[in-house]
Amino acid sequence: GYFNQRVTECRFSSKDLQGAEFIDSYVFNKAEYVRFNSTVGKFVGYTEHGVKNAEAWNSDAAFLAQERGELERYCKPNAAIYY
């Protein structure tokens, strides 16, 4: 069989949330092929398929804006739960 997974995570380096970042990773058969990082602000592909996806998703302004907003919408309001 095949293994497909999407992993989203919030990373915090301190309680003041200065270094907080949102990561959205796409994995196929245990190999990450594309990732959004809020620090970078766009998708980055790691395989040929991932590069094609990253190009398409980065050109979709609405989708990219939604990903960029996840740090403020999801990570920062829920930071106290992680601490």
Side-chain angles (χ1 to χ4, degrees), residues 17-59:
L17 306 180
Q18 285 298 102
E21 62 183 348
F22 172 73
I23 309 292
D24 189 3
S25 301
Y26 294 77
V27 178
F28 182 74
N29 282 351
K30 299 181 183 180
E32 182 178 30
Y33 64 93
V34 68
R35 170 188 288 187
F36 176 85
N37 183 321
S38 63
T39 304
V40 176
K42 66 179 185 176
F43 287 93
V44 176
Y46 299 110
T47 66
E48 183 179 345
H49 179 68
V51 169
K52 289 180 182 179
N53 279 310
E55 289 172 357
W57 295 345
N58 286 331
S59 67

